[in-house]
Amino acid sequence: MVFSSSIFLWLFLPVVLVLYYLAQERWRNVLLLAASLFFYAWGEPVYILLMVVSILINYMFGCIMERTEGGTKKKFWLITAVVLNLGMLGVFKYAGFAVESINSIAGTEVLPHVEIALPIGISFYTFQALSYVIDVYRREVKGQKNLISLALYISFFPQLIAGPIVKYHDINEQLGSRQCTAEKFYKGVQRFIWGLGKKMIFANTLAGAADMIFGLTTAELGFGTAWAGIICYSLQIYYDFSGYSDMAIGLGKMFGFEFKENFNYPYVSKSIREFWRRWHISLSTWFKEYLYIPLGGSRKGNGRTYINLFIVFFCTGLWHGASWNFVIWGMFHGVLLVIERLFLGRLLDKNPVKIVNHIYVILMVIVGWVFFRAEDLSYALGYLQAMVSFGKETFLGAGVFVTPYILTCIAGAVLMSGVLRGRIERFVRAHINQKVIDVSEVILCVFILGTAAVMLGSGAYNPFIYFRF
C-alpha cells in the first residue's frame, strides 16, 4: 500500500484517523500498531513475521541492557544485538550481491546463485531498531518496558517504508504522551497534501521521461538526450523522496507526532558538505551519530578523518542497494568531501561568485545520480560518455522525449526546488495579509488534492523510488 494510492487516501487513512480520535488515549498506540502491521502486511504478508522477530529481539536486548551495569557484559549484549540486526539485513539484502561478487572475482561459479526477495522497508526499520538498542546502551534513554510502544516505534506506518529514519531518543517521550491539537492536525493535512503534489505532479511526470531515456541503450544515447534524462531523474528523485518525507511528517502530525525534517532544499547547496546537511538528513545524521563519531569523527587527525569519511560513505552507498553502482555513488561523494576538506572547501567559502559554487555542486550531484540510476556500472560509464559526446546530438534531439509539457514541469520543478521558493515566501509574508495567505493555502491544497485525484483516477502513478531500499 502506498500513500499515493486510492486505497490509502480514501479508505485506509480516513478509517484509521476516525478510529484513532474516537479511541481512548490508552488504546491509541495499540490501534496505531494494529494499523501499521496491517499496512505492512498489505504488501508484504510473509515478511511481517521478520519485522515481528526484529521487534521482539530488540525489545529483549533493550530489557537486558537496561538491567546490566556498564562494562564487558553490556558491550557483549550490544554487539550481539547489532550483529543480529545487521545479520538479518545482510541475509535478505546482500546475500545475492555477495555471491555474485565472489563468483565474478573468481571468474567461475564458486558459490550457487542466491535469490531472496527484499522485504520492503527493511533498511529503514533495521536502522530504527539499531538506534533503540544503541541509545539504551549509551544510557541516553531507558529500555522500553512497554512492548507495544517499541513495536509502534519500529513499525509506525507513516515512516515505515521509506523513512525518514526516526532515532529513538528523538521520539521516546512522544510514544508515551503527545498532544493532538486541531492546529497540528491541520498542519499535518497541509503537509501531506503538499507532499502528495510533489509526488503526483512533479515526480511521476518526470519519471516518464527519465524511464524512457534510461531505457535506451548507450549506443542510442546522444548528448542532449543523456542530459535530459539525468536532469529529469535528478528532479524526480528529489520530488519523489522529499514528497514521501513530507507525507510521512504530515501523517505524523495528524496522529500527534513530531518528526524531524528530512530535506532542506538540497539543490541550492554551495558545497557537497552543505548538500549532505540538506539531503536525506535523517540518514546522514544517523550515520554521523552511530558510525562517524564512534569511529573517532574528526578528533583523531586528518588522516583518520578521511578514512572515517570513506567508511561512512561506503556504508551510505551500500545501504541504498546491493550493487556496486551504489557503492561507487557513495564513494564518489566521500571523495568529494575529502577534497573539500583538503582545499576545495576553503576556495568555495572565499569565492565571491557563488553561482560557480552552485554549478559545481549540481554537476557533481548529477554525475553521482548517473551511477545511482543506471542498472550496472558499464551502462553508467556509457551514459557519462554520452553526456560529453558534444558532436553526437544537440539538446534539440531530446525533444522526442522532453515534450513541452515535460519541459514546463522541469521549469516548475527547478523553480520550486529552492530557487524561488524562499523569495516567494518572504515576499508573501511582507506584503500580503495573513488571512489572505491562509485562504490561499486552503485553495492551493484543494487544487493539489483534486489534481492528484484526477491523476490517480487515470492510473498515472508509480511506486516511490526509495521503496526498494
Side-chain angles (χ1 to χ4, degrees):
M1 193 186 304
V2 296
F3 295 165
S4 55
S5 66
S6 297
I7 189 71
F8 179 85
L9 288 173
W10 315 128
L11 183 59
F12 178 84
L13 181 58
V15 169
V16 174
L17 281 170
V18 169
L19 292 176
Y20 180 80
Y21 280 97
L22 288 176
Q24 295 179 4
E25 188 172 345
R26 59 177 176 155
W27 294 109
R28 286 180 171 178
N29 280 0
V30 176
L31 173 66
L32 288 180
L33 175 60
S36 297
L37 295 176
F38 178 83
F39 176 88
Y40 192 77
W42 184 271
E44 296 280 3
V46 174
Y47 288 123
I48 193 172
L49 296 175
L50 183 67
M51 182 192 291
V52 171
V53 168
S54 175
I55 291 168
L56 294 174
I57 286 175
N58 288 287
Y59 176 76
M60 178 186 71
F61 280 109
C63 291
I64 292 173
M65 284 191 289
E66 178 68 22
R67 295 196 300 266
T68 305
E69 295 299 324
T72 306
K73 278 188 177 181
K74 193 170 186 180
K75 186 174 289 187
F76 168 78
W77 291 121
L78 173 67
I79 292 171
T80 305
V82 171
V83 168
L84 285 174
N85 277 288
L86 293 181
M88 288 191 293
L89 180 62
V91 168
F92 284 92
K93 190 168 183 175
Y94 301 109
F97 172 60
V99 168
E100 287 179 15
S101 298
I102 292 170
N103 290 343
S104 178
I105 293 170
T108 184
E109 192 171 308
V110 177
L111 298 172
H113 177 69
V114 175
E115 189 170 341
I116 303 175
L118 178 66
I120 294 175
I122 188 170
S123 297
F124 289 93
Y125 72 71
T126 298
F127 269 34
Q128 293 203 172
L130 284 170
S131 169
Y132 168 69
V133 292
I134 295 171
D135 285 352
V136 172
Y137 171 79
R138 292 174 174 175
R139 295 210 178 279
E140 293 183 10
V141 296
K142 292 185 178 181
Q144 180 57 257
K145 296 180 181 179
N146 189 319
L147 178 59
I148 298 297
S149 294
L150 182 65
L152 178 61
Y153 161 69
I154 293 175
S155 68
F156 192 31
F157 74 88
Q159 31 73 228
L160 168 64
I161 304 297
I165 300 168
V166 178
K167 295 182 284 294
Y168 186 77
H169 59 254
D170 289 335
I171 201 173
N172 173 36
E173 293 182 2
Q174 297 179 51
L175 291 168
S177 178
R178 55 192 176 271
Q179 286 188 329
C180 300
T181 64
E183 181 181 3
K184 184 182 285 189
F185 185 86
Y186 168 74
K187 291 293 183 183
V189 172
Q190 187 182 53
R191 187 68 178 269
F192 179 87
I193 292 174
W194 178 248
L196 182 66
K198 282 185 176 180
K199 169 62 177 170
M200 298 300 300
I201 298 171
F202 286 126
N204 285 0
T205 302
L206 296 168
D211 289 348
M212 284 192 293
I213 293 173
F214 274 90
L216 300 174
T217 64
T218 53
E220 295 173 306
L221 285 170
F223 173 75
T225 302
W227 274 97
I230 195 57
I231 288 170
C232 284
Y233 181 73
S234 299
L235 292 168
Q236 176 203 352
I237 192 170
Y238 168 65
Y239 280 99
D240 188 284
F241 193 22
S242 69
Y244 186 96
S245 294
D246 284 340
M247 285 189 266
I249 291 169
L251 286 168
K253 286 182 181 294
M254 291 184 211
F255 295 106
F257 288 92
E258 291 287 351
F259 299 147
K260 290 189 174 182
E261 294 297 331
N262 207 21
F263 288 87
N264 183 23
Y265 302 116
Y267 288 157
V268 303
S269 302
K270 297 182 283 295
S271 67
I272 297 300
R273 288 174 298 171
E274 183 183 355
F275 176 82
W276 279 101
R277 288 196 294 266
R278 292 172 174 270
W279 177 276
H280 203 345
I281 299 168
S282 64
L283 180 67
S284 57
T285 55
W286 194 99
F287 274 118
K288 179 181 178 181
E289 291 184 31
Y290 299 115
L291 183 59
Y292 181 69
I293 292 176
L295 286 172
S298 58
R299 304 187 306 274
K300 298 185 178 182
N302 289 334
R304 183 62 180 272
T305 299
Y306 303 148
I307 292 172
N308 292 343
L309 282 171
F310 281 129
I311 292 172
V312 166
F313 277 88
F314 174 87
C315 294
T316 298
L318 193 61
W319 178 88
H320 280 85
S323 166
W324 287 112
N325 279 39
F326 293 114
V327 173
I328 291 171
W329 170 77
M331 295 301 290
F332 175 70
H333 278 271
V335 169
L336 291 174
L337 286 169
V338 168
I339 292 172
E340 288 189 5
R341 277 183 171 268
L342 283 169
F343 67 92
L344 186 56
R346 292 189 294 275
L347 296 178
L348 294 171
D349 291 339
K350 294 177 181 178
N351 177 30
V353 188
K354 295 304 181 185
I355 187 66
V356 175
N357 295 27
H358 290 301
I359 292 172
Y360 149 72
V361 171
I362 293 299
L363 285 177
M364 292 302 99
V365 170
I366 282 177
V367 169
W369 287 141
V370 173
F371 290 102
F372 198 93
R373 175 61 177 79
E375 292 297 324
D376 52 53
L377 183 57
S378 62
Y379 187 87
L381 295 175
Y383 199 100
L384 288 171
Q385 185 177 2
M387 288 171 64
V388 296
S389 299
F390 302 106
K392 190 173 178 181
E393 177 198 71
T394 66
F395 279 112
L396 296 176
V400 176
F401 305 97
V402 183
T403 63
Y405 175 64
I406 296 290
L407 197 59
T408 303
C409 189
I410 290 173
V414 168
L415 293 175
M416 294 306 293
S417 65
V419 176
L420 285 181
R421 180 87 188 271
R423 292 182 176 86
I424 292 172
E425 288 179 349
R426 286 193 294 271
F427 176 84
V428 167
R429 290 195 191 102
H431 298 91
I432 300 179
N433 183 275
Q434 186 60 45
K435 289 184 179 180
V436 175
I437 294 174
D438 293 341
V439 172
S440 300
E441 286 178 345
V442 171
I443 293 172
L444 180 60
C445 284
V446 171
F447 171 77
I448 292 172
L449 186 60
T451 302
V454 171
M455 297 179 77
L456 277 172
S458 65
Y461 85 97
N462 60 298
F464 291 90
I465 291 174
Y466 267 69
F467 271 28
R468 60 193 177 111
F469 304 138

